[in-house]
Each structure stands twice: as structure tokens, then as C-alpha cells.
Amino acid sequence: MTKPPLTLYLAAPRGFCAGVERAIKIVEMAIEKWGAPVYVRHEIVHNRYVVDDLRDKGAVFVEELDEAPDDRPVIFSAHGVPKSVPAEARAREMVYVDATCPLVSKVHIEAERHHQNGLQMVMIGHAGHPETLGTMGQLPDGEVLLVETVADVAEIAPRDPERLAFITQTTLSVDDTVDIVAALKERFPAIVGPHKEDICYATTNRQEAVKAMAPNCDAMLVVGAPNSSNSKRLVEVGSKAGCRYSQLVQRATDIDWRALDGIESLGVTAGASAPEVLIDEVVDAFRDRYDVRVELVETAVETVEFKVPRALREPVRA
């Protein structure tokens, strides 16, 4: 039977960012250096396939530090951790490696600098997300006010409206954040913003690629995990950019083929913690059912690389 034709627009950039690649490499190098098991506080990145692969290699994932023994190395996830976590690790004399993405660490440093200058922080982010918890945990309780929406801006009660600064989670929707920042500046004209935008290059680049291809797509699939903030934002960006069906899938087995019946064009992208093997899996699933013509939609070329911590590059001391 003849397969129906399908134009498959493949976003570039897509998938792994430099921070995710660094975090995964940190776990692999830690296992190689110290042997298994190596403990990891929280999922190193938000992707089940990646986590399962590292678990097979000898990583043990725990939610809190008290689940890890004192005598085995522990790694902190790419999302960052509150200051209390490394403090506890030091108190227990644990060997630990911080895999926090350097761009998240930049936001932590920024928050501390503003705090030292006497400013109270407003954080634009998602309540309960590990990155938000980690960033808010850099400062004493009450020093960071969280806003998730424009409506939240009207509800916060800073101690001094003239002494405020704002920071953002690195994986937010660029467009949504612009509206929240505008509301903050309207209500608090003296508020201080980041020296450079907090939303990371990879989040911005992936969203721009989705915006470029969405108007040409009958449907769009974002390969990523349901607990991945940047992946969920890509789904939202696709819908807002004009794609009538924009959905998140973890694997090819999650594709709702009935919902895609009759499509002639499809956009495929992936969140920053989704490996290329899962993207290939989705593309191959469409090749099985359609006569696929792939078109690359490239809006940026990424060359960013982050070094792993020195502790992993040094030999084990006798």
C-alpha cells in the first residue's frame, strides 16, 4: 500500500544543551573514578531514558541527601540545590560534585549579589520546580518572592518597593516572561533586572526554532519528559505560534496516531534533556507510516561547552 506523503520539519537546535551534556558526563566520570554506586540527589536531568541509562551504569537516584550514605560520592543535579544541601554534605564529610548548570549558577550568584546590596528578590519561576527551589534556597527565608504569572505581580508585598531586583528560572517561555517583567516594572519602577537575561541560550534557541516552523505544521511533537519545564514550554510556544496540535511525547510509543490522522506536515523538536536517540525513534516511527521528506529548520548554531569540575579531572588520591 502506498504511504501518504509527509513533510517532517526537524528543528535545529533541539535536544541536549551544554548544561545537560555536562551533567550526564559528570555522573559517568564519577562512576569511572570512584566506582559504583554513585548517588545522585534528584534526577540529574528530567528524562527517564537518561536516568535509566545512568542507573544501569551504577548511579543511584535519591530525592534527599539523607537517603545517601556518608561513604559514597554524591552528585547534585543540573537544576541546582539550596545552600543547605552542600552544607549538609560538608558536615557529613561526604565527597560531592555539583552538576548545577553554570547558567543556573549564574542566577544564584546574581541573587546573592543583589542580597548583599540590600535588595529583596522577586523570582519569576514555577513553584516546586527543582531549579526554583534551588535558586530560592540560596538566600534566607523571605528574601525571595515567587511570581508565576502576571496576576501574581499584583499580589506580592515586598518590604520596600524601592529596593527590589528580579531573577528568572532559566527554562521559562521567553514571551510569557516578557509580560511578567513588564508588569513588575510597571508596579515597581525602581526594580533592578539581570545584567544579562536569565533565560538560557538553549531555551531561547529551541523556542525560536519552534516559532519558525509552527506556522507550516499541521501538528507538532516535542520529545521530552512531563516534568521538564523547557519541554512543556516548547509545547505552549508551538500552540501560540499557530500549530493547531502541539503535544509532548516521551517516546515514539506515546504518539497518538488517531489525533494525527490526515496530517500532511509535522514539526518535531525536543527539550534540552532529551537525547537524539529518542528523536530518531520518533522520526523512524513516522517513516514506517508515511513517505517522509525531512526539512531542517535551523535558526541557530550552538557551540557552547561547559567544563566538568576539576575534582573529576584529577586522579584519585592514594
Side-chain angles (χ1 to χ4, degrees), residues 87 110 120 164 181 274:
E110 200 175 352
Q120 190 176 18
L164 283 177
V181 169

Side-chain angles (χ1 to χ4, degrees), residues 109-121 165-167 192-195:
I109 293 166
E110 200 175 352
E112 284 207 77
R113 179 170 53 83
H114 287 311
H115 176 63
Q116 289 165 1
N117 290 334
L119 303 183
Q120 190 176 18
M121 301 303 307
F166 73 87
I167 51 176
V192 177
H195 176 66

Side-chain angles (χ1 to χ4, degrees), residues 15-315:
F16 279 177
C17 64
V20 165
E21 289 181 343
R22 173 180 179 270
I24 293 168
K25 190 182 292 183
I26 284 172
V27 178
E28 292 174 337
M29 289 178 71
I31 294 168
E32 187 177 329
K33 178 171 182 172
W34 290 300
V38 164
Y39 285 75
V40 184
R41 184 189 178 276
H42 193 69
E43 291 185 346
I44 188 70
V45 297
H46 283 158
N47 188 274
R48 188 190 303 164
Y49 181 94
V50 171
V51 168
D52 287 347
D53 181 59
L54 292 173
R55 188 180 285 117
D56 289 344
K57 292 175 180 177
V60 176
F61 292 89
V62 296
E63 284 305 305
E64 296 299 340
L65 206 57
D66 59 15
E67 299 171 58
D70 293 351
D71 60 350
R72 293 306 302 164
V74 65
I75 296 165
F76 305 146
S77 82
H79 309 99
V81 294
K83 269 189 171 179
S84 58
V85 175
E88 181 188 342
R90 287 192 295 272
R92 291 169 57 185
E93 298 184 347
M94 301 174 80
V95 172
Y96 71 88
V97 182
D98 190 352
T100 300
C101 172
L103 298 179
V104 174
S105 296
K106 179 185 80 70
V107 179
H108 292 182
I109 293 166
E110 200 175 352
E112 284 207 77
R113 179 170 53 83
H114 287 311
H115 176 63
Q116 289 165 1
N117 290 334
L119 303 183
Q120 190 176 18
M121 301 303 307
V122 177
M123 178 165 190
I124 305 170
H126 295 295
H129 188 277
E131 184 186 331
T132 300
L133 295 173
T135 300
M136 293 181 71
Q138 300 305 303
L139 302 183
D141 288 348
E143 288 302 306
V144 187
L145 306 173
L146 179 66
V147 296
E148 296 187 82
T149 65
V150 169
D152 290 342
V153 174
E155 302 298 320
I156 58 173
R159 61 171 174 266
D160 183 351
E162 300 298 313
R163 302 285 292 161
L164 283 177
F166 73 87
I167 51 176
T168 73
Q169 188 178 324
T170 63
T171 54
L172 301 179
S173 160
V174 175
D175 295 336
D176 290 349
T177 305
V178 166
D179 294 338
I180 298 172
V181 169
L184 282 170
K185 289 180 176 178
E186 184 176 353
R187 187 178 171 203
F188 308 109
I191 197 166
V192 177
H195 176 66
K196 187 182 178 187
E197 188 178 55
D198 289 339
I199 296 176
C200 85
Y201 79 94
T203 298
T204 303
N205 288 347
R206 279 148 191 73
Q207 290 180 17
E208 288 302 318
V210 164
K211 288 179 189 176
M213 70 184 184
N216 299 320
C217 299
D218 295 331
M220 180 176 298
L221 296 181
V222 177
V223 181
N227 59 341
S228 164
S229 175
N230 75 87
S231 299
K232 291 196 288 187
R233 300 295 81 77
L234 290 176
V235 174
E236 296 167 1
V237 169
S239 294
K240 290 179 179 178
C243 184
R244 62 177 178 82
Y245 180 88
S246 183
Q247 291 293 318
L248 185 72
V249 295
Q250 294 195 74
R251 308 274 315 241
T253 49
D254 298 329
I255 298 169
D256 184 349
W257 295 104
R258 287 182 297 180
L260 299 174
D261 189 44
I263 65 166
E264 297 179 357
S265 58
L266 173 78
V268 174
T269 187
S273 48
E276 190 71 13
V277 64
L278 300 186
I279 303 161
D280 292 342
E281 182 183 276
V282 167
V283 173
D284 288 343
F286 279 92
R287 290 190 192 278
D288 289 342
R289 292 164 174 82
Y290 293 87
D291 179 14
V292 173
R293 178 173 64 88
V294 175
E295 282 196 23
L296 190 68
V297 180
E298 187 172 58
T299 54
V301 176
E302 295 177 350
T303 57
V304 178
E305 287 185 33
F306 296 132
K307 287 183 178 179
V308 299
R310 183 181 298 170
L312 291 172
R313 289 180 270 132
E314 294 173 343

